[in-house]
Amino acid sequence: MSRDAFPRGFVWGVATSAFQIEGAHDIDGRGPSIWDRYAAQPGLIEDGSNANVACDHYHRYQGDIGLMKSLGVGAYRFSIAWPRVVPFGRGPVNEAGLDFYDRLVDGLLSAGITPWSTLYHWDLPQALQDEGGWTRRSTADAFVEFADAVSIRLGDRVQHWITHNEPWCVSVLGHADGKQAPGHRSWPEALVASHHLLLSHGRVVPVLRCNSPGSRIGITLNTAECEPASPSDADRAAARQFDGELNRWFLDPIHFGRYPSDVIEYHERVGRLPRGMDFVRPGDLEEVHTPLDFIGVNYYSRAVVRSSTVPEADNEPRTIPAPDPIELTDMGWEVYPNGLTRALIRLNTDYAPSALFVTENGAAYSTGPGSDGSVEDTERCAYVKQHLGACLEAIRAGVPLHGYFLWSLLDNFEWAFGFSKRFGIVWVDFETQERIIKASGHMYSRIVRRNSLAEDRAA
Ligand code: FCB
């Protein structure tokens, strides 16, 4: 096998999420989600936009499947909009909403593309938020009902399930930092929410196993390598603490059935657990600690942590910009492929998951069509090649990395950044809905077809 070849059977995919691409926000019985509400508040979305239409994927999914087919990708990771399926969070199932995913899944299968469904990619039905959202334990029960309805309908054809996407973002960015829906600023809320997210994950896994026999089930986490800004003891301690919040707080309950004690102590010390861990009930952690078939890794950059930025109070920035980055993407995120190799190796060493998949990796660059209509996004090409090289390094080091999903198929609604950040390997003109495969899309297609980086490796 040549140095640049991926293992046989390596899964090559692209990823999206429902809220970011579907549009059709009030069609066929869809209810409002917390992101509709968040985007409607003045000043919260950078360009003042909303996702009411987005990529209009709800109506254009067949064309988008055609694009994937032309790229030659073998798998498509998409999410299922809870407010489309259970418009008010619990109660009656909206068959018209399920029909859409039925059509999507059948379309994918007939194009030879394996569907990978994420159940929660941040679009909680607003009706549940009105009752307290993820800070309420009953939301975990509602999630089980939703997952049950989805997997009864699709479980014969969808054989890959991801329960949650990035529960750290949902809990911390949504409830402590206020940077995402529902936009709250309370660490105690964030920690309660994180537990209910994990509990709902643990409870949904057996439901999926029952309704979708033989399927492979995992969860996607935004793991990042947390590096001390200097070798000083204080910075190293800060990096370990941030790693605890970001990574171990989720990985330890899933793999070992316990929250990391040093992180509990830290949260208590800085006043984030005013009533201790009273939201964890007997038996919860046994439910969370359920065997999985894979862990999904979303990786964009590393976290550099300095002790002075670790707060003794809430809502202080805890990470600092990387010193002397070689390159930043449009998000201001450092291009740091080695962090992906290290994150994968660390996950394998500390948690020994059965398999790992990179379920998101990609970069925001605004490059648009030139005078000849082609989109020459050379920076994204370099980013993808470098990060695929990082995947190969991890595989060589013995990591059971079985696939890679590029974020994203399409330019889309990038949450609080609206349409101002473009992650697609396909350009989308949001006025006309025209799609143009970018140079990175053509490059990815060659890599996918060859199952190798050969001739496409960054210099
Ligand atoms: C991840 C999200 C995804 C997208 C990328 C850029 O955190 O899962 O929806 O926004 O970042």
Side-chain angles (χ1 to χ4, degrees), residues 17 20 121-122 165-166 169 298 300 333 360 407 414-415 423:
S17 86
Q20 294 177 274
H121 202 126
W122 305 358
N165 180 70
E166 302 186 349
C169 293
N298 289 358
Y300 291 92
W333 297 343
E360 285 181 29
W407 183 272
E414 179 49 38
W415 307 112
F423 275 90

Side-chain angles (χ1 to χ4, degrees), residues 144-436:
V144 173
E145 283 175 35
F146 159 62
D148 189 41
V150 170
S151 54
I152 285 173
R153 177 70 93 87
L154 303 177
D156 55 337
R157 286 153 293 148
V158 173
Q159 289 288 293
H160 295 85
W161 297 96
I162 293 169
T163 56
H164 280 283
N165 180 70
E166 302 186 349
W168 179 85
C169 293
V170 177
S171 42
V172 176
L173 297 183
H175 295 81
D177 291 349
K179 291 184 183 147
Q180 297 194 346
H184 296 183
R185 286 175 170 270
S186 157
W187 263 103
E189 269 193 27
L191 295 177
V192 175
S194 69
H195 180 65
H196 294 152
L197 286 157
L198 284 166
L199 182 64
S200 74
H201 156 80
R203 288 186 172 175
V204 154
V205 172
V207 173
L208 296 173
R209 294 221 186 275
C210 173
N211 293 342
S212 185
S215 61
R216 299 178 77 191
I217 304 168
I219 186 168
T220 278
L221 303 173
N222 51 312
T223 50
E225 178 80 2
C226 299
E227 292 187 29
S230 83
S232 75
D233 286 351
D235 283 352
R236 287 153 70 106
R240 169 94 184 140
Q241 181 270 319
F242 190 69
D243 173 68
E245 279 183 31
L246 178 71
N247 299 320
R248 291 182 287 123
W249 190 255
F250 297 92
L251 285 159
D252 285 15
I254 290 168
H255 286 92
F256 308 135
R258 59 168 189 263
Y259 284 101
S261 55
D262 62 311
V263 189
I264 297 177
E265 277 162 30
Y266 176 80
H267 286 320
E268 277 181 331
R269 184 155 52 80
V270 299
R272 295 172 180 171
L273 287 170
R275 301 193 312 154
M277 297 282 283
D278 69 347
F279 45 84
V280 182
R281 298 203 187 150
D284 282 5
L285 286 162
E286 285 74 22
E287 286 193 90
V288 174
H289 178 211
T290 184
L292 295 178
D293 304 302
F294 64 90
I295 294 289
V297 175
N298 289 358
Y299 178 85
Y300 291 92
S301 192
R302 65 173 166 167
V304 178
V305 191
R306 193 168 57 195
S307 64
S308 58
T309 66
V310 174
E312 293 301 317
D314 277 354
N315 296 324
E316 297 285 324
R318 280 148 289 148
T319 57
I320 57 165
D324 308 321
I326 293 176
E327 197 192 334
L328 299 176
T329 68
D330 284 358
M331 298 296 282
W333 297 343
E334 180 194 20
V335 178
Y336 193 72
N338 186 245
L340 174 55
T341 310
R342 287 164 54 178
L344 292 168
I345 291 175
R346 180 274 174 101
L347 273 171
N348 191 40
T349 309
D350 289 0
Y351 298 98
S354 327
L356 287 165
F357 290 85
V358 172
T359 43
E360 285 181 29
N361 175 242
Y365 291 107
S366 60
T367 330
S371 52
D372 65 351
S374 70
V375 182
E376 300 301 324
D377 55 339
T378 45
E379 292 125 314
R380 182 175 292 99
C381 290
Y383 181 100
V384 170
K385 281 188 284 190
Q386 287 164 2
H387 286 77
L388 285 172
C391 290
L392 277 175
E393 293 287 327
I395 293 168
R396 279 189 213 110
V399 172
L401 177 66
H402 293 173
Y404 174 94
F405 291 76
L406 205 160
W407 183 272
S408 181
L409 172 67
L410 302 170
D411 290 338
N412 60 45
F413 181 83
E414 179 49 38
W415 307 112
F417 299 92
F419 297 105
S420 69
K421 303 286 186 264
R422 290 178 177 268
F423 275 90
I425 55 171
V426 174
W427 168 269
V428 177
D429 179 325
F430 293 106
E431 296 295 317
T432 64
Q433 294 296 342
E434 187 192 357
R435 274 89 159 129
I436 303 169

